[in-house]
Amino acid sequence: METTNEITIHDTDFVAHIQQKMNSYNTIADLSDFFKIMGDSTRLQLLMVLEHGELCVSDLAYLLNMSISAVSHQLKSLRNAKLVKIRRDGKNIFYSLDDEHIKSILEVSLEHILER
């Protein structure tokens, strides 16, 4: 046991081990921003629809009963956060999840919520 700045550390070896594995403040801030983006119900709904495959803005607007401009605005946020990517086919732009990590996060999160 060690006392530092009026804090008693009960297991200095274990605390030191954890301290080596801790992420930097910047990494934690980036993760916090990630969860802020994911925390919006409209953006989350868009991501969950895109789990099924790529779609254009008008298809997304129809599925979510939203205006095309509102969907476009949310997709811009998701794209800036690197949660969705685009594919151009002539004049058409299709959106999909950026990678399998996003799909995994959505699936595990939903599974956790449905456990209750």
Side-chain angles (χ1 to χ4, degrees):
M1 201 166 8
E2 180 181 325
T3 302
T4 309
N5 297 331
E6 299 179 24
I7 297 173
T8 302
I9 300 171
H10 293 279
D11 189 338
T12 54
D13 291 338
F14 189 52
V15 169
H17 173 74
I18 293 171
Q19 199 168 29
Q20 289 177 342
K21 294 186 176 289
M22 288 175 63
N23 291 298
S24 70
Y25 178 82
N26 288 340
T27 300
I28 298 299
D30 289 346
L31 186 58
S32 176
D33 291 343
F34 171 82
F35 281 115
K36 286 176 190 170
I37 292 289
M38 295 278 282
D40 178 86
S41 58
T42 300
R43 290 190 290 260
L44 189 55
Q45 196 173 16
L46 281 165
L47 291 170
M48 293 179 86
V49 169
L50 290 172
E51 277 186 277
H52 300 284
E54 68 177 16
L55 292 161
C56 65
V57 174
S58 58
D59 291 343
L60 288 164
Y62 175 79
L63 287 167
L64 274 61
N65 194 28
M66 294 173 60
S67 70
I68 289 174
S69 63
V71 169
S72 294
H73 175 75
Q74 296 299 337
L75 286 169
K76 182 179 179 183
S77 295
L78 292 170
R79 192 166 170 221
N80 288 341
K82 295 182 174 67
L83 298 178
V84 298
K85 61 185 175 185
I86 64 167
R87 180 181 66 82
R88 293 184 187 275
D89 185 9
K91 292 182 179 182
N92 297 315
I93 298 174
F94 293 91
Y95 291 84
S96 62
L97 296 180
D98 189 67
D99 61 30
E100 286 297 314
H101 294 111
I102 306 306
K103 186 174 183 176
S104 296
I105 290 166
L106 293 169
E107 288 172 347
V108 169
S109 300
L110 183 60
E111 184 180 318
H112 175 71
I113 294 302
L114 294 176
E115 273 181 355
R116 298 180 182 178

